[in-house]
């Protein structure tokens, strides 16, 4: 039976209906609907938690109705409800968790709280040619930059993490410093396309020593100094954007290759919002053919937050008999490594 997935961890309200059948890859998604709060937060230059919660309250049920209508289903058809239980903004998480639990209780179906990063990490399983385990996952989003060894679904070992800014955060903050509108990541990436290759070169942080951790805040400072010392013309802005993007993408690619070598894995999954970055996709595609591994990406729409990845992660766990007690519990901080096997 179809599973309803609900995502409300930050500034996107995402809903999806999925009939999960591992034998039919790429065919289970029945509908999905998303509302992004970007415009709501833009004038503040970042996400305002209380405004986010209130907007999830406004948008969630209309989106659920929309997704049901698009799939030609009613609530009576649902076999379970999956919702993001963390990590994320506590108020925003509580909106999704309360709605999901209430619906599950009213319908007499099980509900399951999903780890948001497990959702990101499993998103490529929604595609026609999904990766098998084991694999290494690079999770690069607004709040995380991690390399994860995935032995099996639910069995995660964190190989590397960021010591300061996440990759998406570095994109957003750098864009803001150069006067690009919020959220800057995609705008900076688009601008980089017009930059002159090699005009600016920034360091590849922490690649000169062993290890799989990341640090991007020093890079951000280098960019700020270069920008302040420059003529601040449009072309210079694009040149700096290009140099910055190359530095981040190179750094991520170097660490991915290292993680594959360290684990002996032959498959690499890229997920999270920065996974939408064109240069990152190109460069890792090239590395894969050079080194003889396979790389898997979610479709662009499922790199950033969405309900489909939550429906998927929840459906897999519900299928193995897991579900939550009838309480509303969320985990604003939650380590992937503490999850049970699926
Ligand atoms: P988390 O998943 O860690 O809780 P989040 O949910 O806010 O964080 P996502 O929605 O997965 O993060 O991704 C949003 C991030 O992805 C933003 O930082 C955004 O700038 C970045 N991003 C989106 N598209 C691109 C792109 N093409 N190039 C670089 N960064 C991008
Ligand atoms: Mg977001
Ligand atoms: Fe996310």
């Amino acid at each position: 039976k179809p599973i309803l997935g609900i995502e409300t961890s930050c500034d996107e309200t995402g809903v999806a209906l999925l009939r999960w059948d591992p034998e039919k890859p790429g065919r289970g998604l029945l509908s999905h609907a998303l509302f992004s709060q970007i415009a709501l937060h833009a004038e503040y230059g970042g996400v305002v938690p209380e405004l986010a919660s209130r907007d999830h309250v406004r948008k969630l049920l209309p989106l659920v109705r929309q997704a049901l209508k698009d799939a030609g289903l009613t609530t009576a058809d649902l076999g379970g409800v999956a919702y993001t239980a963390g990590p994320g903004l506590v108020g925003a998480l509580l909106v999704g968790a309360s709605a999901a639990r209430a619906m599950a209780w009213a319908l007499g179906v099980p509900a399951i709280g999903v780890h948001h990063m497990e959702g990101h990490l499993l998103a490529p399983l929604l595609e026609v040619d999904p990766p098998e385990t084991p694999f290494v996952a690079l999770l690069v989003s607004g709040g995380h930059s991690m390399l994860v060894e995935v032995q099996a679904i639910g069995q995660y070992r964190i190989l590397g993490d960021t010591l300061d800014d996440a990759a998406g955060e570095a994109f957003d903050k750098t864009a803001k410093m150069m006067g690009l509108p919020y959220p800057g990541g995609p705008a900076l990436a688009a601008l980089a396309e017009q930059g002159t290759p090699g005009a600016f070169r920034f360091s590849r942080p922490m690649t000169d020593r062993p290890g799989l951790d990341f640090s991007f805040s020093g890079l951000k400072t280098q960019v700020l100094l270069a920008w302040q010392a420059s003529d601040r013309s449009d072309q210079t802005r694009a040149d700096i954007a290009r140099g910055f993007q190359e530095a981040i993408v190179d750094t991520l690619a170097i660490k991915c290759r290292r993680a594959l070598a360290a684990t002996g894995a032959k498959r690499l999954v890229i997920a999270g919002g920065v996974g939408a970055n064109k240069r990152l996709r190109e460069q890792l595609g090239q590395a894969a053919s050079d080194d003889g591994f396979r790389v898997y990406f979610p479709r662009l729409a499922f790199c950033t937050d969405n309900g489909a990845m939550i429906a998927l992660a929840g459906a897999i766990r519900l299928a193995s008999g897991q579900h939550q007690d009838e309480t509303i519990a969320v985990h604003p901080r939650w380590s992937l490594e503490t999850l049970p096997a699926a």
Side-chain angles (χ1 to χ4, degrees):
K1 280 188 135 189
I3 303 299
L4 169 67
I6 292 178
E7 157 62 35
T8 64
S9 71
C10 187
D11 61 346
E12 260 97 29
T13 319
V15 168
L17 287 157
L18 176 82
R19 191 181 281 120
W20 173 241
D21 180 352
E23 304 301 316
K24 292 180 185 157
R27 309 236 313 259
L29 189 65
L30 306 174
S31 65
H32 67 101
L34 185 86
F35 181 83
S36 172
Q37 304 177 355
I38 282 175
L40 176 70
H41 302 291
E43 66 173 295
Y44 305 97
V47 177
V48 183
E50 184 56 25
L51 294 183
S53 311
R54 287 165 191 242
D55 207 53
H56 287 305
V57 171
R58 275 190 290 270
K59 299 295 173 1
L60 183 54
L61 292 182
L63 283 177
V64 170
R65 281 188 207 105
Q66 181 68 46
L68 284 166
K69 186 165 164 265
D70 291 349
L73 299 175
T74 70
T75 50
D77 299 313
L78 296 178
V81 185
Y83 58 94
T84 304
L89 301 170
V90 64
L93 291 167
L94 278 168
V95 176
S98 312
R101 275 256 52 113
M103 281 184 71
W105 185 75
L107 298 169
V109 298
I112 183 135
V114 169
H115 192 294
H116 180 77
M117 299 313 293
E118 179 173 62
H120 276 303
L121 184 152
L122 297 178
L125 271 65
L126 290 162
E127 306 305 327
V128 272
D129 184 16
E132 283 170 27
T133 55
F135 59 77
V136 165
L138 174 71
L139 296 179
V140 272
S141 56
H144 295 82
S145 294
M146 287 196 291
L147 277 159
V148 182
E149 181 182 18
V150 178
Q151 289 133 357
I153 296 176
Q155 278 180 276
Y156 307 123
R157 187 163 71 95
I158 296 171
L159 303 168
D161 207 339
T162 181
L163 305 181
D164 40 61
D165 293 350
E169 191 180 0
F171 264 94
D172 294 337
K173 287 180 174 172
T174 302
K176 192 172 180 177
M177 281 173 350
M178 295 200 292
L180 297 177
Y182 168 87
L188 189 94
L191 193 60
E193 297 286 308
Q194 286 138 47
T196 316
F200 283 86
R201 191 187 155 84
F202 302 109
S203 63
R204 276 63 177 148
M206 298 184 65
T207 54
D208 57 349
R209 69 194 94 158
L212 294 166
D213 287 334
F214 302 101
S215 165
F216 293 118
S217 82
L219 181 58
K220 190 182 65 193
T221 309
Q222 278 182 38
V223 172
L224 178 64
L225 295 175
W227 172 243
Q228 285 174 339
S230 77
D231 61 5
R232 305 194 192 189
S233 66
D234 287 348
Q235 186 57 45
T236 302
R237 193 195 320 249
D239 292 348
I240 292 179
R242 181 151 189 143
F244 168 80
Q245 176 170 266
E246 289 304 312
I248 293 242
V249 167
D250 258 1
T251 305
L252 295 174
I254 290 167
K255 299 278 166 122
C256 284
R257 290 170 118 152
R258 240 184 233 179
L260 289 165
T263 56
K266 291 277 171 232
R267 288 176 284 264
L268 177 67
V269 159
I270 313 295
V274 182
N277 186 270
K278 198 171 149 224
R279 272 300 289 150
L280 182 68
R281 292 170 92 100
E282 280 169 9
Q283 194 161 325
L284 286 167
Q286 186 59 49
S289 59
D290 292 348
D291 294 9
F293 63 86
R294 280 205 57 186
V295 62
Y296 300 84
F297 300 95
R299 74 190 76 170
L300 289 178
F302 295 162
C303 283
T304 43
D305 293 347
N306 63 86
M309 67 185 194
I310 302 304
L312 173 76
I316 292 173
R317 289 187 176 277
L318 286 168
S320 73
Q322 297 178 24
H323 59 87
Q324 236 75 57
D325 296 336
E326 289 178 358
T327 57
I328 297 166
V330 296
H331 318 287
R333 293 169 170 276
W334 189 7
S335 168
L336 263 180
E337 289 183 335
T338 63
L339 296 184

